[in-house]
Structures are given as C-alpha cells and as structure tokens.
Amino acid sequence: MAEIEDGTGITADLVRDLLREQHPDLAELPLSEVEGGWGNQVWRLGEALAVRVQRMDTDPVHQLQERRWLPLLAPCLPLPVPVPVRSGAPSERFGKLWTVMTWVPGEPLDRGEITRGEHAADTLAAFLRALHVPAPADAPADTGRGAHPRDCTDGFDCFLGSLDADVIGTDAADVRAVWDDAVAAPAWEGPPVWVHGDLHPANVVVADGTLAGVVDFGDLFAGDPAVDLAAAWVLLPPGAAARFFTAYGRADEATVRRARGLAALKSLFLLLMGQNGERGLPGGKPAWGPLGRRALDRVLVERPDPPVSRAAADDFLRR
C-alpha cells in the first residue's frame, strides 16, 4: 500500500482492476500509460477516454473541482478540454480519487512545437476570452496561484536563488526588474473571473503546429486573469505576445505588467524543474529547462504595447 500511496505502484493492472470494480463496462478497453504527470497519472482508455489517477497529489479537491465545473465550462470553450464522464471512489485497494475523462487529442507542448505562431496567438486569446468571464459566488477561491506578484516574492526569490549562475546567466538583474515592475503594478479591480491557474507547456496540447486543447484544470479558481495571460510568453513563440494581447482585447496596462511578472516566475519554475531533472532529483523535468530559457528570453524582450484602457477592459466584463 505504501508504494501505491506514493504513486510508484500505480500500474495498468491496478487501473484495470479499479475499472472492473466500479465501471466494468469500460474495463476491457485498451489501456496505456501517458508519459508525464506528477500530481496525477493519466492512462489513455480506448480511443476517446482517459483515466486520471491521483499520484503525488494527496488533496481530493483538485479532481472534485474538475468533476463539478468542467462539464459546465466545456461547452462554452472554443478548444477541447477533458470532461469527466465517470467518477472513481477511493477503495480498500486504492485510497485516492480517480476520474474517467474525455481524451483531448494532440501532443503536449513540452514534447511538441508551435510553428503557426499567429494562429496559436489568436487561438489562445479566443480560449481565454471565453474562459475569463465573471465566476459564480461558489466558484473555487484562489489558494495562492492567483495572488498579486507582491505576495509571491518569496517564491520568486527562491526560484531565482536556486538556479545555477550558468542557467540564469547575466539576466538576473533584468529578470528582477521585470518582477519589480509587476510588484509595483496596481492589483486587479474587476470581478473575479474563471482562471485555469496553471498554463504551462505540459498542460496544453498542440496539433498541426498550433494549440489544439487545454488540460489539467485542477487549479481552476476565480481571480485575476493575469495569471493565465502569462501564457502569452510561456507558451507562444517569439513575437506572438503582441498579437495575442491585441486579439484578447481586454488587458489594461496594469494587467499586462502583472502577467509579464508572473510569466517570469513561471519561466524560472520551468528552468528550476529542468535543472532538477538534469541532477536526477525527484519531480525534475530535463526537457523543461530549454522551455524555461526560451520563455524567459521572450519575457525580457517582449512587452506588448499599447494595452487597452482600464475602462475598455471593464466594459468587456460587463457585457
């Protein structure tokens, strides 16, 4: 049981046994492990489904949020997202949650590439315009991912201080300047909107050189859209951020500044995960280092201008 609890004992046989116990009509479909994942492990089930199994994540709230909210949000979104179709309850054999969801076709961006930058910028903007609408009063509250940059400075300092000098290079002062500008930006004053909360290259999929889907909504919450707008630098290729913000059409200057700082934070996280992977540390992702380096380069050179006014941004949310 200890191996299962820490995620190392989740096997195809275990997943198939869980299906036989709770959803026998699905148990004989072809089953294969999907590479990647940390908090949750994903197994593809047949052609159209996937099984999302808690691994290192010990908090059931993430899967419970996906079960509750994704069926409501998915019809309103212009890209495919995983929709829960069956619920797996904790059992004596496996004491955590698991959920059968729809499969989102495509290759994760951390193993793929965006070659159609303008199309991807427009696609991401349309997706976030659709997602970033005022959330209901009972939407999940922000647990820290959507905090103003000024409340994330400890994390920024930790990431920056943990990177080897040759990884961050001579850019440390420039990165600090971007962060300081974000910290000084006014806070979000609009209504809390739906926010994905964790847009990075492993949580989007690509096909035909452009964005094709968004996955892993475990951190979904209501808050500041700047958290997701950081994806303009983290996901899109060079030169695409300006087109993205033009297409998005509702980010004022302060929101762009916060988003750029949060993109720097996410870039440092990717670099650190890459460094940890190179050292063979648990949870490290060697392939993420180059992704973080390229994202940070974009953060340092791209500052979209001009953004819309605060009044124009507010007008979008009132419609």
Side-chain angles (χ1 to χ4, degrees):
M1 180 62 75
E3 286 188 344
I4 291 178
E5 289 303 317
D6 69 13
T8 60
I10 301 174
T11 64
D13 288 341
L14 172 64
V15 175
R16 198 173 293 284
D17 285 347
L18 295 175
L19 288 166
R20 287 176 178 139
E21 291 172 1
Q22 299 188 35
H23 300 288
D25 58 314
L26 303 178
E28 303 312 317
L29 291 173
L31 184 69
S32 59
E33 184 177 0
V34 178
E35 182 182 349
W38 176 248
N40 293 273
Q41 189 176 38
V42 177
W43 294 77
R44 188 165 184 181
L45 182 64
E47 290 297 315
L49 300 173
V51 185
R52 184 164 160 83
V53 184
Q54 276 189 288
R55 182 161 56 184
M56 303 307 294
D57 187 0
T58 59
D59 190 344
V61 70
H62 301 113
Q63 286 207 24
L64 293 176
Q65 287 180 175
E66 290 181 324
R67 291 179 185 180
R68 178 177 181 187
W69 295 107
L70 281 177
L72 300 176
L73 290 173
C76 305
L77 300 175
L79 283 176
V81 301
V83 179
V85 295
R86 303 281 185 93
S87 296
S91 63
E92 183 176 350
R93 179 77 185 279
F94 183 73
K96 299 179 183 179
L97 290 182
W98 52 280
T99 306
V100 180
M101 314 182 83
T102 55
W103 173 255
V104 179
E107 186 79 3
L109 181 55
D110 62 344
R111 298 197 298 275
E113 184 181 6
I114 290 175
T115 57
R116 298 163 61 197
E118 292 185 353
H119 188 281
D122 293 344
T123 301
L124 179 63
F127 178 83
L128 292 180
R129 282 174 62 93
L131 178 64
H132 291 169
V133 297
D138 58 344
D142 173 25
T143 59
R145 286 185 180 269
H148 190 283
R150 71 171 68 97
D151 300 317
C152 303
T153 295
D154 287 348
F156 175 86
D157 290 340
C158 178
F159 290 164
L160 190 61
S162 299
L163 288 167
D164 291 343
D166 62 332
V167 173
I168 194 65
T170 61
D171 294 327
D174 293 334
V175 178
R176 173 72 63 181
V178 171
W179 183 254
D180 289 345
D181 182 63
V183 168
W188 174 246
E189 297 179 352
V193 300
W194 281 116
V195 176
H196 177 281
D198 196 23
L199 289 176
H200 63 70
N203 286 343
V204 298
V205 298
V206 295
D208 299 322
T210 190
L211 289 175
V214 179
V215 300
D216 194 347
F217 284 74
D219 291 303
L220 182 73
F221 68 92
D224 180 357
V227 176
D228 286 349
L229 300 182
W233 294 272
V234 175
L235 300 181
L236 298 176
R243 183 180 180 105
F244 165 82
F245 278 103
T246 297
Y248 181 77
R250 60 177 72 166
D252 66 346
E253 180 184 13
T255 300
V256 173
R257 290 166 62 192
R258 294 192 309 277
R260 187 167 175 242
L262 293 170
L265 181 68
K266 184 72 76 173
S267 300
L268 294 179
F269 167 74
L270 293 172
L271 279 168
L272 184 58
M273 293 291 283
Q275 177 178 283
N276 289 347
E278 293 293 337
R279 294 175 177 175
L281 297 177
K285 304 281 187 180
W288 287 15
L291 298 173
R293 180 68 259 176
R294 292 194 290 269
L296 190 60
D297 289 344
R298 295 190 290 267
V299 167
L300 294 177
V301 302
E302 297 183 34
R303 182 168 184 170
D305 186 65
V308 302
S309 67
R310 176 70 263 169
D314 289 343
D315 182 59
F316 279 112
L317 292 173
R318 286 194 295 266
R319 292 178 184 177

